[in-house]
Structure formats: structure tokens, C-alpha cells
Amino acid sequence: MKRHFRMQALAIAAAAVIVLSGCSGTGTGGATVDAASRAATVAAAEKGANVLLTAAAQDNEWTGPSDSPAPIDGLEVTVIPEQMASTASRLAAETIRDQGALIGWDVKISDGQGKPDVQLNAVNTAVDEGADAIILIFVDTTRVQAGVQRAVDGDIPIITIGSLKNTPDTVPDVSFDWYGSGQAIAQYMVWKSDAELNLLQMKNTDLYVVVNGQFAGSQDWIEDNCASCTVTVKEWSLASFDDPTSGPAAQASAALQSDTSIDWVSCFDSCLFRVSQAVDRTGMTERMSGAGYDCSPENLAQISEGGMQKVCFADPRAWLAMAAMDNINRMSNDEEPFDYTKSIPVALFDKDVLDGLDASKREELETTGWQGNFDFRAKFLELWGVEG
């Protein structure tokens, strides 16, 4: 039987966790709790995590729209990822470029470089050059609001991927439950640490979906459910992504050397991959475990090989990219966008899940990332009346 595991299932599991945990306190100070309470927390965390671990190997089915208008040939689309240095953003941007070519679109990628001023300039340039549509990938619209408003005022269809909250709020977004993704990662770490988690959270401060989604979801779940867990938070910005002294890798390395009791670290995958390299250089890999978001190919390979990273939360990023394309297509044809929030599958991958897959499937994951266990590319092309 085909199943489509969405974040509603995770929300049910999270609700059960709150009832079962029996823990109190902030959850960030490593308080002493009785054995029964801790056991209940571990059991509930395992239950929640297993919902999405199971989803990783299950086939999915289409729950999106049943039709879509024919694409406009020659549509000029500007895609602005927050930065091409981030694997997940690059994959989404390149998907739009490659799939756009199949439907006759002229797609231009303008690298946001992790800098709001560069992103704003890219939006303004797209408006000035007469772009027919604009797609923003993990770009905070509050930081490029002047350009976004120019696009809106000029009746240029504009949409975001992974923004959650847009300014103005009339700009549609393609997302899933980012807060729920944080809860899932928290559950996995609490389970695997036997509710004695000592976590370093590498909190990016630029991305709304990180601050109010991934980070908030994991932090809140731990605080609400695991009083025996300890969390240390280090903040960093995209502008210092690869900075050897202030970037996330450098900060994480310093924090782990300063506090040798820390045994888990978490951030989104392109960040975590850099952190893992720094950890390896300082000889701390055996002591550490990592939990990430995106399940980028290089991170999945590290999990499969038994490296520092132990788990990743997966969404089929190319699926989100094509959903954004579909909504640009609808808006360009004077139709309302479709709400894909409940139609995007999600999962967790760890070594046990990867080891249970056949070799060809593992190779696919480590080459292209998770594809959602469904041929969504063929489905979108079918909706658009285009042969792949």
C-alpha cells in the first residue's frame, strides 16, 4: 500500500510525546530526572522519530492538483537562491533551470551570495530587465521588501521557496512544516542519546525557516520534553558561511574544544558538512554525532559511511522547486497558486535506513538526494502537457 507521510503524522506523534514525557523544566540545563520519566521521554521520542524513518522507504502517491494550464513559451524567469554555495539552494535553482528548459522557459539564476544587499539588487535587476516571473529560494522577503514590492506593483508573478512568512503576505510560498522538521530531529537525538543529549545548536540568524522553523521546532521540543538534556546555542550569519574564523565550522570547532561534554551538533546540511570537516581535522569525530536538515547527497554519503553525521531530515527539494514552477505557471496564466504544503512528502534517513535500501537506491540518494519516492518530474510534465 502506498503511503504519503506528511507532517500531520509528526504532529500527532509530538502531541503524544508531550503527554508521555512526564518531564518538566526548561530542558536546557541538564536537570536530574527520575528513571521512569527519562524512559518515557526516550520511548516517546523513538515513536515520533520512527514515523519519518518508516516514511523514508515507503512509496508515495500524488496528492497535488489534477491539472495545470499549458506553460507560456519563452517565459523569462529569474531565480534568486540565497546562495549557490548551499547545496540545497543550488539543487532547487538548477532544477528550475533544467526543467524550465523542457517547457520553453528562459531561466536565469542570480546568486544571492548569502547577502541581503546582493539579493535585493538581484530582485531589482530582474524587475528592471522586464522579467516575466521571479522565484526566491530561502530569501527573506523582509530584507528585500523594496524589490519585492516593485515586482508586485509591476504585476510580475513572484513566489518563494522556504520562506514561511512573506512581506507582503500576498506573495505565495512553497513549503512544508519546517517547525515539525525541527521536532523530528529533536526526537531522534533525544532517543539516540537516551535523553542525556548535550547538544550544540548552530543557529543561522538569516533564514526565517531556520530561526522560526528548524531551530525553534527542535529547541522547543527539547525544552518541553527533556529536562535532562543540555543545549548550547551558537549564532552565525550566511555572510560568514565559509569564513575560517567566524563561520559555523570555526565556531563549532571552538565550542567543542572548549566543552568536551558536548556530543551532538545540529544545523542544516551544508552547514553541518562544513562542521563535520572541521571536527574531523581536530580529531573529535568519534566523540561527536551530527543531525542535519535537507539530506543533501554528500551528507547522505557521510551517514552511509558511518561518519559524524548520523541523521538528516529529508524533503525532496527538487519537488519543491517544480511546485514553485507550477505556481508561477498558474500565476502567469492568471490562475491562483496551489497550496502544496500538505502535498510534499518528508522523511528521516539514518544509517540503518540506508543500509536497508538496495545498492541502486543508495547510489541515487548519494548522487541526487531524496526524490520523495515518487516520479514527481514526470507528473508535473504530464500536468503541463509536455513530454519529458
Side-chain angles (χ1 to χ4, degrees), residues 323-376:
M325 290 177 64
D326 183 57
N327 277 339
I328 285 294
N329 179 46
R330 294 171 187 276
M331 296 161 71
S332 299
N333 280 282
D334 297 321
E335 293 189 7
E336 290 296 312
F338 181 84
D339 184 0
Y340 278 94
T341 305
K342 297 179 180 180
S343 298
I344 305 295
V346 293
L348 285 176
F349 283 90
D350 66 2
K351 191 175 188 326
D352 288 341
V353 170
L354 293 172
D355 286 348
L357 302 175
D358 62 53
S360 62
K361 187 64 175 178
R362 286 200 306 274
E363 182 179 359
E364 175 189 292
L365 285 166
E366 294 171 18
T367 303
T368 62
W370 190 50
Q371 301 300 300
N373 300 342
F374 180 81
D375 190 355
F376 58 87

Side-chain angles (χ1 to χ4, degrees), residues 7-8 10-11 164 175-183 213 313 341 346:
M7 297 311 295
Q8 294 99 314
L10 180 59
L164 290 184
S175 278
F176 50 87
D177 183 358
W178 295 87
Y179 186 85
S181 72
Q183 292 179 307
F313 178 93
T341 305
V346 293

Side-chain angles (χ1 to χ4, degrees), residues 5 7 55 59 74 91 119 129 200 211 237 264 293 308 320 323 325 329 347 362 386:
F5 287 85
M7 297 311 295
D59 289 337
L91 286 174
Q119 295 159 7
E129 291 179 347
L200 174 62
V211 175
S237 70
W264 279 82
Y293 304 85
M308 188 199 79
L320 270 74
M325 290 177 64
N329 179 46
R362 286 200 306 274
V386 178

Side-chain angles (χ1 to χ4, degrees), residues 142-360:
T142 63
R143 301 189 179 202
V144 295
Q145 186 176 0
V148 171
Q149 192 61 55
R150 287 187 65 206
V152 171
D153 293 343
D155 292 326
I156 299 173
I158 183 168
I159 193 169
T160 60
I161 296 175
S163 182
L164 290 184
K165 183 179 180 180
N166 282 327
T167 303
D169 60 10
T170 54
V171 174
D173 179 57
V174 175
S175 278
F176 50 87
D177 183 358
W178 295 87
Y179 186 85
S181 72
Q183 292 179 307
I185 285 293
Q187 290 167 352
Y188 186 93
M189 293 188 295
V190 169
W191 166 33
K192 291 298 183 178
S193 66
D194 198 28
E196 293 184 343
L197 177 67
N198 195 330
L199 171 66
L200 174 62
Q201 288 261 44
M202 297 305 300
K203 178 186 177 184
N204 170 260
T205 56
D206 302 280
L207 302 176
Y208 190 92
V209 292
V210 171
V211 175
N212 298 284
Q214 295 168 348
F215 174 79
S218 59
Q219 194 78 354
D220 288 352
W221 197 93
I222 293 168
E223 290 182 359
D224 291 344
N225 298 283
C226 191
S228 55
C229 295
T230 301
V231 180
T232 301
V233 179
K234 294 293 183 181
E235 297 185 344
W236 60 279
S237 70
L238 290 172
S240 65
F241 196 40
D242 286 313
D243 190 291
T245 58
S246 62
Q251 286 201 51
S253 180
L256 297 177
Q257 292 180 73
S258 174
D259 185 350
T260 58
S261 67
I262 295 174
D263 52 10
W264 279 82
V265 60
S266 181
C267 58
F268 57 79
D269 270 4
S270 57
C271 159
L272 190 59
F273 189 75
R274 287 160 171 78
V275 169
S276 69
Q277 292 177 316
V279 168
D280 187 56
R281 287 194 295 269
T282 53
M284 296 183 288
T285 299
E286 289 189 8
R287 156 192 151 198
M288 292 301 302
S289 296
Y293 304 85
D294 301 331
C295 285
S296 298
E298 61 267 29
N299 298 77
L300 284 163
Q302 187 180 107
I303 294 170
S304 180
E305 294 163 2
M308 188 199 79
Q309 187 166 350
K310 306 303 182 189
V311 66
C312 60
F313 178 93
D315 66 274
R317 194 57 49 88
W319 193 328
L320 270 74
M322 293 194 72
M325 290 177 64
D326 183 57
N327 277 339
I328 285 294
N329 179 46
R330 294 171 187 276
M331 296 161 71
S332 299
N333 280 282
D334 297 321
E335 293 189 7
E336 290 296 312
F338 181 84
D339 184 0
Y340 278 94
T341 305
K342 297 179 180 180
S343 298
I344 305 295
V346 293
L348 285 176
F349 283 90
D350 66 2
K351 191 175 188 326
D352 288 341
V353 170
L354 293 172
D355 286 348
L357 302 175
D358 62 53
S360 62

Side-chain angles (χ1 to χ4, degrees), residues 44-95:
E46 179 181 6
K47 180 179 179 181
N50 271 322
V51 172
L52 294 188
L53 289 169
T54 301
Q58 295 287 344
D59 289 337
N60 283 310
E61 58 187 13
W62 181 255
T63 61
S66 58
D67 55 36
S68 187
I72 298 173
D73 189 53
L75 199 73
E76 296 185 356
V77 181
T78 295
V79 178
I80 306 171
E82 45 89 16
Q83 60 176 351
M84 290 293 279
S86 170
T87 301
S89 294
R90 188 186 73 250
L91 286 174
E94 291 176 348
T95 295

